[in-house]
Amino acid sequence: MTRRSIALAAAVAMSGVLLATGQAAATSHTQAQAGKPPFPYVDCIKEVKKQHKASDARAKHICDQLVKKGWIKPPNA
């Protein structure tokens, strides 16, 4: 597993905690280093499906929530 996939996996895993508690993650939208948030939307969908065996709709919902928090790039970006 690469650093990027580990970081994305951590972001997806954390999403469950953040969604459950309603806490917002404080992140910067202008981080320039590779392997740091925001991650590509497509990678988020793949990782959510792989880790949580989620449906397409559930994976999209989780990734949309992470877009709002700044962890994932919007799908049109």
Side-chain angles (χ1 to χ4, degrees):
M1 223 182 221
T2 65
R3 281 184 167 172
R4 184 175 183 175
S5 62
I6 291 170
L8 181 58
V12 170
M14 181 173 260
S15 71
V17 173
L18 294 174
L19 291 173
T21 61
Q23 296 176 349
T27 60
S28 171
H29 295 282
T30 58
Q31 293 183 358
Q33 295 177 348
K36 301 274 185 185
F39 298 104
Y41 193 85
V42 174
D43 290 349
C44 178
I45 296 289
K46 289 178 190 174
E47 197 65 33
V48 170
K49 285 182 180 182
K50 184 172 88 174
Q51 284 189 14
H52 300 287
K53 310 237 185 310
S55 66
D56 289 341
R58 180 67 180 149
K60 183 183 177 313
H61 172 75
I62 290 171
C63 292
D64 288 346
Q65 294 299 310
L66 291 171
V67 166
K68 290 179 185 176
K69 294 176 190 309
W71 277 91
I72 305 297
K73 291 179 188 173
N76 57 358

